[in-house]
Amino acid sequence: MSTPAFGYEDLLPLGADETPYRLLTTDGVHTVGGPGGRTFLEVDPEALRLLTETAMHDIAHYLRPAHLAQLRRILDDPEASNNDRFVALDLLRNANIAAGGILPMCQDTGTAIVMGKRGQHVLTPGTDEGAISRGVFDAYTRLNLRYSQLAPLTMWEERNTGSNLPAQVELYADTAPGHETSYKLLFMAKGGGSANKSFLFQETKAVLNPAGMRRFLDEKLRSLGTAACPPYHLAIVVGGTSAEFALKTAKYASAKYLDALPTSGSLAAHGFRDTELEEEVLELTRQFGIGAQFGGKYFCHDVRVVRLPRHGASCPVAIAVSCSADRQALGKITAEGVFLEQLETDPARFLPETTDDQLRERARVELSGSGVTSGTGADDAPDVVHIDLDRPMDEIRAELSRSPVTTRLSLSGSLVVARDIAHAKIKERLDAGEPMPRYLRDHAVYYAGPAKTPDGYASGSFGPTTAGRMDSYVEQFQAAGGSLVMLAKGNRSSVVTRSCAEHGGFYLGSIGGPAARLAQDCITSVEVLEYPELGMEAVWKITVKDFPAFIVVDDKGNDFFATTTTPLATTIPVRAGR
């Protein structure tokens, strides 16, 4: 084989930046002349701090217009299930509340991630990472956000840092022509739910054909489940010069950062988007039946598939999602000033004139026209069942037992809130021979952890956390008379289904995503019951009204998600006309 001529190509060559920006300030940036007639851009640390603080505020409260338009399309799609539409409408309402700038859109306000590319002629004094981290600190300590970062004191002991630091800050040199005096940044807030749905699979060439890829994706994408709050922006990366590069590329692709990649490959071995496969995979996800959390078509808003070069002995495949809290924004600093991506500050323009009654009536029409009988599908129970949570636990369970899985509920009354650390502490008490705390025997348990409570509000943003993290506790807790009705987001393991069948328990699914709406419209009081030293991980008692939920697992061993996780595809569907 003859030696090819040398040529350089970026692994991820991006096209023109079409992002709409708004000017924050012209302070803190100025140009100076340098040797050889070159122009340099001096950037003060305050410019980086201000840009970061503003970005972290904006992505906690605002979304991109394109994302909101996708939610609206669900409402307008006659093929969407009633539960798809119900979730989409709730997420739009949540976005409208969050845009008020007080309650963040999600209670898990995430790990702050900042990636920057600094031009060759950009000069900054001091440590850029320090100025960016100070912006993160100022945003999280001044706003109604949540502190989620745990500092390891020993291998086994951790403590909350109380500021949401450290941030993940990664800065790179940008040597592209024309970028010499620009500093470009990507800001992300990544919650635990969507971060936990980032996967790396070490595959072989066996997946590099249509049939092999079809089987692989049918299995792996179903396993994403709903814990990360769909509809998702799904990213799939095939190949990579290393495992870590494949994963990082998937994260960037899920944030639409790589949308301007080429759409075909070459011997230059750069990455590219396979837009045809993107459409085919989107159609595949619509056949799963998972939908926007509780059955239907909209498991994903869209799909990005990036093909990368690879070592002949390795074939990494990375999968990542951006959830309904689609929190990212681009920023840049140039000679003209400090700029941040313009997000949507008026999401109300995407809200339809659609009421809950209209949604229920539409479901009745669909149901009567289909010939389906109640209890066999996600749209089959259009009438909401109202549950009084202050009744005795046996009466609550008897009421729930009369309805099939996927039934939509409206909950009012008292809930106990407990999640990971509280569950671990209660397990220690049970293991030591102590009884189950009465509050877990008398009340339904909500897996959640609140953000800060703003002045004048009963609660901060207070949406559900991932149920699966508590699966290992369920059998022991239910056997001891507790956790007989559980409320959270996402699918659960077969261990939970078996335990509910044995002990007469239920798992209710809450819509993942609308934490601001739940705080404003559904939660009327919050008080600490136990372990106040745990902060947001304490055991709380809250009072709710008209809190939406669905029956996901019942006392008869039925699990709505059981059938949706079984791979069925023999072909990746293609849209008509392709």
Side-chain angles (χ1 to χ4, degrees):
M1 174 183 285
S2 61
T3 302
F6 171 78
Y8 174 77
E9 180 82 46
D10 284 347
L11 271 176
L12 297 171
L14 296 179
D17 182 6
E18 304 293 342
T19 305
Y21 290 98
R22 65 186 179 98
L23 176 67
L24 299 186
T25 183
T26 57
D27 295 339
V29 294
H30 57 277
T31 57
V32 295
R38 289 173 291 183
T39 299
F40 289 80
L41 180 69
E42 290 191 332
V43 178
D44 292 343
E46 171 58 19
L48 284 170
R49 189 211 64 80
L50 173 67
L51 176 57
T52 302
E53 181 185 18
T54 308
M56 301 316 297
H57 166 276
D58 282 13
I59 62 178
H61 292 282
Y62 310 133
L63 291 158
R64 286 172 168 160
H67 175 87
L68 293 163
Q70 287 175 312
L71 286 172
R72 174 57 192 263
R73 280 198 290 273
I74 296 174
L75 296 178
D76 296 335
D77 183 356
E79 295 181 355
S81 74
N82 194 54
N83 285 347
D84 278 338
R85 293 189 295 272
F86 180 73
V87 170
L89 183 59
D90 223 36
L91 292 174
L92 281 172
R93 288 171 172 164
N94 187 70
N96 195 50
I97 293 169
I102 298 174
L103 293 167
M105 68 183 74
C106 179
Q107 81 286 344
D108 184 350
T109 49
T111 297
I113 300 173
V114 183
M115 185 274 288
K117 294 183 177 180
R118 183 169 127 172
Q120 290 177 292
H121 296 170
V122 175
L123 305 176
T124 58
T127 304
D128 292 7
E129 293 88 347
I132 291 169
S133 294
R134 181 59 196 239
V136 171
F137 175 91
D138 289 344
Y140 277 83
T141 55
R142 294 172 181 174
L143 301 172
N144 299 309
L145 309 183
R146 196 177 84 182
Y147 307 142
S148 299
Q149 304 308 309
L150 303 178
L153 305 182
T154 69
M155 180 60 75
W156 321 120
E157 184 185 1
E158 300 173 310
R159 186 174 302 164
N160 196 298
T161 63
S163 64
N164 215 57
L165 291 179
Q168 179 180 319
V169 183
E170 300 179 0
L171 303 178
Y172 302 92
D174 185 350
T175 59
H179 294 188
E180 291 85 359
T181 57
S182 65
Y183 203 149
K184 297 188 175 182
L185 301 107
L186 168 66
F187 300 93
M188 303 178 71
K190 198 70 173 173
S194 61
N196 293 345
K197 295 303 178 181
S198 299
F199 293 103
L200 174 71
F201 304 96
Q202 295 288 11
E203 296 301 310
T204 69
K205 186 174 172 54
V207 301
L208 296 182
N209 61 82
M213 185 60 68
R214 184 184 307 136
R215 289 190 296 269
F216 173 83
L217 293 177
D218 190 23
E219 175 188 354
K220 302 306 183 186
L221 297 182
R222 290 174 186 270
S223 70
L224 290 174
T226 61
C229 309
Y232 297 133
H233 300 283
L234 171 66
I236 302 165
V237 174
V238 179
T241 48
S242 66
E244 61 270 25
F245 188 72
L247 278 168
K248 188 169 294 187
T249 302
K251 178 176 286 186
Y252 293 159
S254 72
K256 308 298 180 66
Y257 183 72
L258 303 178
D259 276 10
L261 281 176
T263 55
S264 61
S266 73
L267 278 178
H270 56 75
F272 66 90
R273 280 181 61 189
D274 188 332
T275 54
E276 182 176 353
L277 188 56
E278 289 174 0
E279 289 297 312
E280 293 174 0
V281 173
L282 181 60
E283 287 301 305
L284 173 64
T285 65
R286 289 176 172 176
Q287 304 302 315
F288 290 167
I290 300 173
Q293 305 187 29
F294 300 104
K297 171 182 175 182
Y298 281 95
F299 187 55
C300 296
H301 283 303
D302 49 41
V303 178
R304 296 293 182 267
V305 177
V306 177
R307 181 68 158 90
L308 294 177
R310 69 183 184 94
H311 185 288
S314 300
C315 187
V317 180
I319 295 175
V321 300
S322 185
C323 65
S324 59
D326 189 40
R327 294 174 294 196
Q328 54 264 325
L330 296 175
K332 65 179 181 180
I333 302 175
T334 68
E336 287 71 42
V338 180
F339 297 86
L340 182 63
E341 180 175 356
Q342 178 64 65
L343 302 180
E344 181 57 65
T345 58
D346 182 24
R349 68 188 181 91
F350 294 93
L351 279 167
E353 299 297 327
T354 302
T355 66
D356 288 341
D357 288 341
Q358 288 172 320
L359 285 175
R360 285 194 289 271
E361 180 58 30
R362 182 171 177 179
R364 289 189 185 96
V365 171
E366 292 173 353
L367 189 59
S368 62
S370 67
V372 178
T373 57
S374 180
T376 60
D379 284 345
D380 301 339
D383 292 317
V384 177
V385 175
H386 293 265
I387 302 294
D388 179 359
L389 296 172
D390 290 325
R391 297 166 65 188
M393 180 55 65
D394 286 346
E395 293 183 16
I396 294 173
R397 290 192 294 151
E399 178 70 21
L400 292 172
S401 191
R402 289 193 280 270
S403 298
V405 293
T406 73
T407 296
R408 182 143 61 97
L409 308 173
S410 178
L411 310 177
S412 297
S414 301
L415 285 168
V416 167
V417 179
R419 46 181 267 163
D420 307 65
I421 297 177
H423 273 68
K425 287 184 172 292
I426 293 168
K427 175 177 169 51
E428 290 175 359
R429 290 157 62 172
L430 296 178
D431 291 343
E434 298 180 32
M436 172 64 67
R438 188 164 195 86
Y439 53 72
L440 277 186
R441 287 185 281 135
D442 292 347
H443 298 288
V445 59
Y446 180 38
Y447 303 156
K452 293 181 210 169
T453 300
D455 291 340
Y457 284 71
S459 168
S461 292
F462 211 153
T465 198
T466 303
R469 298 206 307 271
M470 269 55 74
D471 282 7
S472 62
Y473 300 101
V474 171
E475 202 287 325
Q476 182 183 16
F477 280 28
Q478 289 190 338
S483 297
L484 291 173
V485 177
M486 302 163 286
L487 174 67
K489 67 173 180 176
N491 48 301
R492 308 199 70 169
S493 68
S494 58
V495 171
V496 173
T497 304
R498 290 196 298 269
S499 182
C500 285
E502 179 179 353
H503 299 291
F506 294 84
Y507 167 55
L508 312 181
S510 177
I511 300 173
R517 196 190 77 76
L518 293 175
Q520 176 175 286
D521 298 341
C522 300
I523 300 174
T524 61
S525 69
V526 178
E527 62 179 294
V528 175
L529 281 183
E530 195 170 15
Y531 307 123
E533 70 277 8
L534 298 181
M536 68 94 176
E537 293 268 7
V539 177
W540 308 78
K541 183 178 180 181
I542 67 174
T543 304
V544 301
K545 64 174 183 179
D546 301 326
F547 192 109
F550 294 78
I551 300 177
V552 177
V553 176
D554 67 13
D555 57 346
K556 306 170 189 65
N558 298 310
D559 176 4
F560 163 69
F561 289 111
T563 57
T564 63
T565 57
T566 303
L568 297 174
T570 56
T571 62
I572 294 181
V574 180
R575 285 184 177 179
R578 285 195 62 87

